[in-house]
PDB file of all heavy atoms in Angstrom:
ATOM      1  N   ASP B  47     -21.845 -37.347  -3.923  1.00 46.00           N
ATOM      2  CA  ASP B  47     -22.451 -38.530  -3.313  1.00 46.00           C
ATOM      3  C   ASP B  47     -21.636 -39.015  -2.115  1.00 46.00           C
ATOM      4  O   ASP B  47     -21.876 -40.063  -1.585  1.00 46.00           O
ATOM      5  CB  ASP B  47     -22.593 -39.660  -4.349  1.00 46.00           C
ATOM      6  CG  ASP B  47     -21.263 -40.074  -4.930  1.00 46.00           C
ATOM      7  OD1 ASP B  47     -20.240 -39.414  -4.590  1.00 46.00           O
ATOM      8  OD2 ASP B  47     -21.222 -41.006  -5.711  1.00 46.00           O
ATOM      9  N   THR B  48     -20.649 -38.208  -1.745  1.00 46.00           N
ATOM     10  CA  THR B  48     -19.856 -38.629  -0.597  1.00 46.00           C
ATOM     11  C   THR B  48     -20.577 -38.260   0.678  1.00 46.00           C
ATOM     12  O   THR B  48     -21.240 -37.232   0.763  1.00 46.00           O
ATOM     13  CB  THR B  48     -18.492 -37.928  -0.625  1.00 46.00           C
ATOM     14  OG1 THR B  48     -18.722 -36.531  -0.712  1.00 46.00           O
ATOM     15  CG2 THR B  48     -17.677 -38.390  -1.801  1.00 46.00           C
ATOM     16  N   ASP B  49     -20.429 -39.105   1.623  1.00 46.00           N
ATOM     17  CA  ASP B  49     -21.085 -38.841   2.893  1.00 46.00           C
ATOM     18  C   ASP B  49     -20.036 -38.861   3.991  1.00 46.00           C
ATOM     19  O   ASP B  49     -19.501 -39.912   4.336  1.00 46.00           O
ATOM     20  CB  ASP B  49     -22.140 -39.933   3.142  1.00 46.00           C
ATOM     21  CG  ASP B  49     -22.900 -39.672   4.426  1.00 46.00           C
ATOM     22  OD1 ASP B  49     -22.522 -38.726   5.160  1.00 46.00           O
ATOM     23  OD2 ASP B  49     -23.854 -40.415   4.685  1.00 46.00           O
ATOM     24  N   PRO B  50     -19.694 -37.696   4.487  1.00 45.00           N
ATOM     25  CA  PRO B  50     -18.581 -37.643   5.426  1.00 45.00           C
ATOM     26  C   PRO B  50     -18.840 -38.409   6.721  1.00 45.00           C
ATOM     27  O   PRO B  50     -17.893 -38.692   7.447  1.00 45.00           O
ATOM     28  CB  PRO B  50     -18.397 -36.147   5.686  1.00 45.00           C
ATOM     29  CG  PRO B  50     -19.618 -35.477   5.183  1.00 45.00           C
ATOM     30  CD  PRO B  50     -20.270 -36.396   4.213  1.00 45.00           C
ATOM     31  N   THR B  51     -20.060 -38.748   6.997  1.00 43.00           N
ATOM     32  CA  THR B  51     -20.286 -39.440   8.259  1.00 43.00           C
ATOM     33  C   THR B  51     -20.028 -40.936   8.125  1.00 43.00           C
ATOM     34  O   THR B  51     -19.921 -41.653   9.101  1.00 43.00           O
ATOM     35  CB  THR B  51     -21.729 -39.259   8.757  1.00 43.00           C
ATOM     36  OG1 THR B  51     -22.604 -39.812   7.775  1.00 43.00           O
ATOM     37  CG2 THR B  51     -22.050 -37.809   8.985  1.00 43.00           C
ATOM     38  N   VAL B  52     -19.955 -41.392   6.872  1.00 42.00           N
ATOM     39  CA  VAL B  52     -19.717 -42.809   6.675  1.00 42.00           C
ATOM     40  C   VAL B  52     -18.222 -43.055   6.724  1.00 42.00           C
ATOM     41  O   VAL B  52     -17.450 -42.464   6.018  1.00 42.00           O
ATOM     42  CB  VAL B  52     -20.262 -43.262   5.313  1.00 42.00           C
ATOM     43  CG1 VAL B  52     -19.988 -44.755   5.111  1.00 42.00           C
ATOM     44  CG2 VAL B  52     -21.733 -42.988   5.234  1.00 42.00           C
ATOM     45  N   GLY B  53     -17.782 -43.911   7.575  1.00 43.00           N
ATOM     46  CA  GLY B  53     -16.358 -44.180   7.647  1.00 43.00           C
ATOM     47  C   GLY B  53     -16.093 -45.154   8.752  1.00 43.00           C
ATOM     48  O   GLY B  53     -16.984 -45.875   9.196  1.00 43.00           O
ATOM     49  N   ALA B  54     -14.854 -45.162   9.158  1.00 43.00           N
ATOM     50  CA  ALA B  54     -14.464 -46.135  10.163  1.00 43.00           C
ATOM     51  C   ALA B  54     -15.310 -46.000  11.419  1.00 43.00           C
ATOM     52  O   ALA B  54     -15.661 -46.994  12.036  1.00 43.00           O
ATOM     53  CB  ALA B  54     -12.994 -45.943  10.507  1.00 43.00           C
ATOM     54  N   GLY B  55     -15.615 -44.762  11.779  1.00 44.00           N
ATOM     55  CA  GLY B  55     -16.360 -44.576  13.006  1.00 44.00           C
ATOM     56  C   GLY B  55     -17.867 -44.600  12.805  1.00 44.00           C
ATOM     57  O   GLY B  55     -18.623 -44.519  13.758  1.00 44.00           O
ATOM     58  N   GLY B  56     -18.295 -44.659  11.570  1.00 44.00           N
ATOM     59  CA  GLY B  56     -19.717 -44.521  11.285  1.00 44.00           C
ATOM     60  C   GLY B  56     -20.514 -45.774  11.608  1.00 44.00           C
ATOM     61  O   GLY B  56     -19.963 -46.858  11.793  1.00 44.00           O
ATOM     62  N   GLU B  57     -21.810 -45.649  11.672  1.00 47.00           N
ATOM     63  CA  GLU B  57     -22.639 -46.792  12.008  1.00 47.00           C
ATOM     64  C   GLU B  57     -22.956 -47.613  10.770  1.00 47.00           C
ATOM     65  O   GLU B  57     -23.377 -48.748  10.827  1.00 47.00           O
ATOM     66  CB  GLU B  57     -23.987 -46.354  12.630  1.00 47.00           C
ATOM     67  CG  GLU B  57     -23.856 -45.355  13.759  1.00 47.00           C
ATOM     68  CD  GLU B  57     -23.894 -43.919  13.283  1.00 47.00           C
ATOM     69  OE1 GLU B  57     -24.978 -43.451  12.933  1.00 47.00           O
ATOM     70  OE2 GLU B  57     -22.825 -43.281  13.235  1.00 47.00           O
ATOM     71  N   ASN B  58     -22.739 -46.952   9.612  1.00 54.00           N
ATOM     72  CA  ASN B  58     -23.087 -47.607   8.363  1.00 54.00           C
ATOM     73  C   ASN B  58     -22.258 -48.872   8.166  1.00 54.00           C
ATOM     74  O   ASN B  58     -21.106 -48.950   8.566  1.00 54.00           O
ATOM     75  CB  ASN B  58     -22.819 -46.627   7.218  1.00 54.00           C
ATOM     76  CG  ASN B  58     -23.629 -46.976   6.002  1.00 54.00           C
ATOM     77  OD1 ASN B  58     -23.605 -48.126   5.563  1.00 54.00           O
ATOM     78  ND2 ASN B  58     -24.350 -46.008   5.468  1.00 54.00           N
ATOM     79  N   ASP B  59     -22.837 -49.861   7.532  1.00 71.00           N
ATOM     80  CA  ASP B  59     -22.134 -51.120   7.328  1.00 71.00           C
ATOM     81  C   ASP B  59     -21.117 -51.035   6.207  1.00 71.00           C
ATOM     82  O   ASP B  59     -20.185 -51.823   6.153  1.00 71.00           O
ATOM     83  CB  ASP B  59     -23.132 -52.245   7.012  1.00 71.00           C
ATOM     84  CG  ASP B  59     -23.886 -52.615   8.278  1.00 71.00           C
ATOM     85  OD1 ASP B  59     -23.406 -52.258   9.363  1.00 71.00           O
ATOM     86  OD2 ASP B  59     -24.951 -53.245   8.158  1.00 71.00           O
ATOM     87  N   ALA B  60     -21.335 -50.113   5.291  1.00 84.00           N
ATOM     88  CA  ALA B  60     -20.425 -50.010   4.157  1.00 84.00           C
ATOM     89  C   ALA B  60     -19.017 -49.707   4.660  1.00 84.00           C
ATOM     90  O   ALA B  60     -18.835 -48.911   5.577  1.00 84.00           O
ATOM     91  CB  ALA B  60     -20.891 -48.924   3.211  1.00 84.00           C
ATOM     92  N   GLN B  61     -18.051 -50.376   4.059  1.00 91.00           N
ATOM     93  CA  GLN B  61     -16.675 -50.125   4.454  1.00 91.00           C
ATOM     94  C   GLN B  61     -16.067 -49.107   3.495  1.00 91.00           C
ATOM     95  O   GLN B  61     -15.823 -49.403   2.339  1.00 91.00           O
ATOM     96  CB  GLN B  61     -15.879 -51.422   4.415  1.00 91.00           C
ATOM     97  CG  GLN B  61     -16.381 -52.442   5.425  1.00 91.00           C
ATOM     98  CD  GLN B  61     -15.423 -53.609   5.528  1.00 91.00           C
ATOM     99  OE1 GLN B  61     -14.225 -53.474   5.324  1.00 91.00           O
ATOM    100  NE2 GLN B  61     -15.962 -54.780   5.833  1.00 91.00           N
ATOM    101  N   VAL B  62     -15.864 -47.931   4.006  1.00 93.00           N
ATOM    102  CA  VAL B  62     -15.313 -46.868   3.175  1.00 93.00           C
ATOM    103  C   VAL B  62     -13.992 -46.435   3.784  1.00 93.00           C
ATOM    104  O   VAL B  62     -13.935 -46.091   4.963  1.00 93.00           O
ATOM    105  CB  VAL B  62     -16.271 -45.665   3.099  1.00 93.00           C
ATOM    106  CG1 VAL B  62     -15.652 -44.554   2.249  1.00 93.00           C
ATOM    107  CG2 VAL B  62     -17.617 -46.090   2.540  1.00 93.00           C
ATOM    108  N   LEU B  63     -12.960 -46.508   2.992  1.00 93.00           N
ATOM    109  CA  LEU B  63     -11.673 -46.024   3.466  1.00 93.00           C
ATOM    110  C   LEU B  63     -11.479 -44.618   2.920  1.00 93.00           C
ATOM    111  O   LEU B  63     -11.531 -44.393   1.713  1.00 93.00           O
ATOM    112  CB  LEU B  63     -10.535 -46.926   2.975  1.00 93.00           C
ATOM    113  CG  LEU B  63      -9.142 -46.449   3.396  1.00 93.00           C
ATOM    114  CD1 LEU B  63      -8.924 -46.663   4.886  1.00 93.00           C
ATOM    115  CD2 LEU B  63      -8.059 -47.168   2.600  1.00 93.00           C
ATOM    116  N   ARG B  64     -11.272 -43.694   3.846  1.00 93.00           N
ATOM    117  CA  ARG B  64     -11.057 -42.314   3.407  1.00 93.00           C
ATOM    118  C   ARG B  64      -9.605 -41.967   3.679  1.00 93.00           C
ATOM    119  O   ARG B  64      -9.157 -42.027   4.811  1.00 93.00           O
ATOM    120  CB  ARG B  64     -11.992 -41.372   4.160  1.00 93.00           C
ATOM    121  CG  ARG B  64     -13.463 -41.708   3.940  1.00 93.00           C
ATOM    122  CD  ARG B  64     -14.343 -40.989   4.914  1.00 93.00           C
ATOM    123  NE  ARG B  64     -13.952 -41.281   6.280  1.00 93.00           N
ATOM    124  CZ  ARG B  64     -14.445 -40.647   7.344  1.00 93.00           C
ATOM    125  NH1 ARG B  64     -15.320 -39.690   7.192  1.00 93.00           N
ATOM    126  NH2 ARG B  64     -14.036 -40.966   8.551  1.00 93.00           N
ATOM    127  N   THR B  65      -8.909 -41.648   2.635  1.00 93.00           N
ATOM    128  CA  THR B  65      -7.483 -41.398   2.802  1.00 93.00           C
ATOM    129  C   THR B  65      -7.058 -40.201   1.953  1.00 93.00           C
ATOM    130  O   THR B  65      -7.911 -39.536   1.352  1.00 93.00           O
ATOM    131  CB  THR B  65      -6.682 -42.661   2.445  1.00 93.00           C
ATOM    132  OG1 THR B  65      -5.312 -42.422   2.671  1.00 93.00           O
ATOM    133  CG2 THR B  65      -6.894 -43.050   0.991  1.00 93.00           C
ATOM    134  N   THR B  66      -5.780 -39.939   1.965  1.00 90.00           N
ATOM    135  CA  THR B  66      -5.287 -38.766   1.239  1.00 90.00           C
ATOM    136  C   THR B  66      -4.153 -39.175   0.316  1.00 90.00           C
ATOM    137  O   THR B  66      -3.506 -40.206   0.530  1.00 90.00           O
ATOM    138  CB  THR B  66      -4.732 -37.703   2.202  1.00 90.00           C
ATOM    139  OG1 THR B  66      -3.569 -38.210   2.828  1.00 90.00           O
ATOM    140  CG2 THR B  66      -5.753 -37.326   3.245  1.00 90.00           C
TER     141      THR B  66
END
Side-chain angles (χ1 to χ4, degrees):
Chain B
D47 60 355
T48 54
D49 183 354
T51 61
V52 179
E57 310 90 74
N58 203 309
D59 287 343
Q61 296 190 29
V62 179
L63 178 72
R64 300 167 304 171
T65 183
T66 67

